[in-house]
Amino acid sequence: MAQQKTILRALAGETLPTPPIWMMRQAGRYLPEYRATRAQAGDFLKLCYNPELAAEVTLQPLRRYDFDAAILFADILLLPQALGADLWFVTGEGPRLSTITTAEELGRLKPVEEIHETLNPIYETVKILSEELPKETTLIGFAGAPWTVATYMIAGQGTPDQGPAHALKSANRPVFEGIMHRITEGTIAYLSKQIEAGAECVKLFDSWAGSLQGDDFTEFSIKPMQRITAALKEKHPGIPVIAFPRGAGTKYIGTHAATGADCIAVDDGVDAAWVAEHVQPDGCVQGNMKSSHMVTGGQGLIDETRRIRDALSGGAHIFNLGHGITPDADPANVQLMIDTLRGA
Ligand code: CP3
């Protein structure tokens, strides 16, 4: 049967009259119903590990908006936790993890086969969603790309310049590469299980790819994503993959071929017309509206929605933000973006 889901059609390279749309962090703190369910769960991590409530918050944005995709509600830092790192979230600050910087600490990480003991509730969430989602909605699974996950495991928190990970990469290459390898193999196992549970597409978030310069970008952003993509496609033929090397700038050129991904997500640091000329000829692109328009709204939002849609109308495009929607966004602006995209 011909593929009917708009997201899967775009991922297959089809140019659609109106691009399908979803939004990074579409289930999140800008929605009062999300905040209520998180309170009911106790905290963010308890919400991630509660399949019924995680499925509920995944579905919440779809009740408000006619999005073409749902993204599994979870976090990229659940994999380090499953590998044995301690993980907690400090309200108003962000994630904290026990750090891995020595051969001994690397040696204490769990083998990849044991991650599912921790991650089983996530697969259960995917299973619930695959049963409950409207038939036209695509279910997206995800994981962090190895470099981005490594930056958190090495520093124990988010860092402005990923300094601790760069430092370990120079000071102790074997330990750095050991961490990258364990994350890469863990990600293949984690995403395979998401696909088996019903994810129809997976996305790799390399949020900190932009700090990798020169050969490091190829070695530590592109190559691990290529290895994961190839392994997933070998195990699950035809599974579409979205890669997001955020902050790549001109290095976005050629990333479809280099990663093997079906779609490259682009941040708002590159212009849509430039993306149309240099990246979209190689395959589907996703992006790249500035998240701040979800706060400011108005004519600026309308103009930008049209500009990005029209600039990328000559090829396969999934409309999205360049990064996640922020907690201070106005939910009404999301509806305005969708109406504008589908209207004049
Ligand atoms: O709706 C969705 O997009 C799906 C769920 C999702 C979350 N995190 C939920 C979340 C996804 C896809 C992620 C990915 C993620 N997590 C990334 C990559 C994308 C990006 O933002 O660059 C990263 C780097 C993380 C790690 C992480 N999780 C950080 C740094 C933080 C704190 C910063 C923040 O935004 O608060 C989180 C917390 C987090 N993950 C929240 C949500 C909804 C907010 C937590 C809360 O509800 O209190």
Side-chain angles (χ1 to χ4, degrees):
M1 206 183 84
Q3 182 54 251
Q4 294 306 315
K5 296 193 184 194
T6 50
I7 295 272
L8 296 178
R9 288 169 64 186
L11 288 169
E14 197 178 328
T15 306
L16 297 167
T18 303
I21 179 171
W22 67 281
M23 210 172 54
M24 282 186 259
R25 292 275 166 100
Q26 63 189 29
R29 288 160 291 179
Y30 74 107
L31 293 177
E33 59 269 35
Y34 168 82
R35 297 195 297 268
T37 308
R38 188 186 58 183
Q40 188 190 339
D43 62 35
F44 172 67
L45 279 177
K46 287 189 183 126
L47 177 55
C48 290
Y49 287 115
N50 181 321
E52 280 75 30
L53 294 183
E56 165 59 22
V57 294
T58 306
L59 293 165
Q60 283 170 349
L62 292 149
R63 297 196 187 106
R64 276 185 187 248
Y65 311 112
D66 184 17
F67 281 134
D68 296 282
I71 183 159
L72 164 70
F73 188 83
D75 198 83
I76 67 163
L77 300 178
L78 305 185
L79 177 64
Q81 188 176 36
L83 285 168
D86 295 329
L87 172 68
W88 67 104
F89 280 79
V90 179
T91 311
E93 290 186 30
R96 295 289 182 273
L97 299 91
S98 50
T99 59
I100 316 282
T101 57
T102 65
E104 292 71 46
E105 286 160 350
L106 173 60
R108 280 201 295 271
L109 287 181
K110 291 185 196 168
V112 165
E113 308 79 65
E114 289 177 23
I115 63 174
H116 307 304
E117 289 163 21
T118 302
L119 297 169
N120 269 324
I122 311 307
Y123 314 139
E124 184 57 32
T125 306
V126 175
K127 210 166 290 162
I128 295 171
L129 287 167
S130 70
E131 285 157 14
E132 293 193 0
L133 275 174
K135 66 174 184 351
E136 63 279 8
T137 310
T138 300
L139 177 56
I140 302 174
F142 76 93
W147 163 249
T148 289
V149 174
T151 67
Y152 288 96
M153 290 181 78
I154 293 164
Q157 61 184 74
T159 46
D161 57 0
Q162 296 74 61
H166 285 287
L168 186 68
K169 170 158 60 66
S170 303
N172 195 338
R173 186 61 75 118
V175 168
F176 173 76
E177 289 188 352
I179 296 169
M180 289 288 288
H181 180 75
R182 190 71 62 92
I183 299 167
T184 302
E185 299 311 308
T187 303
I188 294 167
Y190 181 38
L191 289 177
S192 273
K193 289 276 190 188
Q194 291 184 27
I195 295 163
E196 283 161 23
E200 301 169 283
C201 160
V202 294
K203 178 169 174 182
L204 291 167
F205 286 88
D206 213 351
S207 303
W208 300 118
S211 77
L212 290 165
Q213 299 295 316
D215 290 346
D216 276 359
F217 178 75
T218 307
E219 279 305 309
F220 302 121
S221 177
I222 297 298
K223 282 194 184 167
M225 291 203 282
Q226 191 278 333
R227 154 109 186 96
I228 293 164
T229 302
L232 292 175
K233 284 178 180 285
E234 194 187 313
K235 257 182 127 169
H236 311 277
I239 186 76
V241 175
I242 304 172
F244 181 35
R246 187 169 76 96
T250 56
K251 295 195 291 296
Y252 274 118
I253 297 172
T255 45
H256 285 93
T259 58
D262 302 86
C263 176
I264 297 296
V266 290
D267 62 275
D268 60 31
V270 285
D271 186 77
W274 180 88
V275 172
E277 190 181 339
H278 296 284
V279 188
Q280 199 180 27
D282 297 337
C284 184
V285 294
Q286 178 180 277
N288 69 338
M289 177 104 164
K290 271 193 174 30
S291 302
S292 57
H293 288 293
M294 299 301 106
V295 181
T296 53
Q299 194 60 41
L301 180 159
I302 293 171
D303 291 346
E304 270 301 279
T305 303
R306 289 180 181 150
R307 190 184 66 80
I308 291 166
R309 177 196 62 188
D310 295 348
L312 294 167
S313 63
H317 177 211
I318 297 170
F319 198 94
N320 205 310
L321 305 180
H323 202 194
I325 188 168
T326 52
D328 55 344
D330 179 350
N333 288 332
V334 177
Q335 189 61 52
L336 180 60
M337 172 174 69
I338 295 171
D339 290 343
T340 305
L341 183 73
R342 294 181 179 152

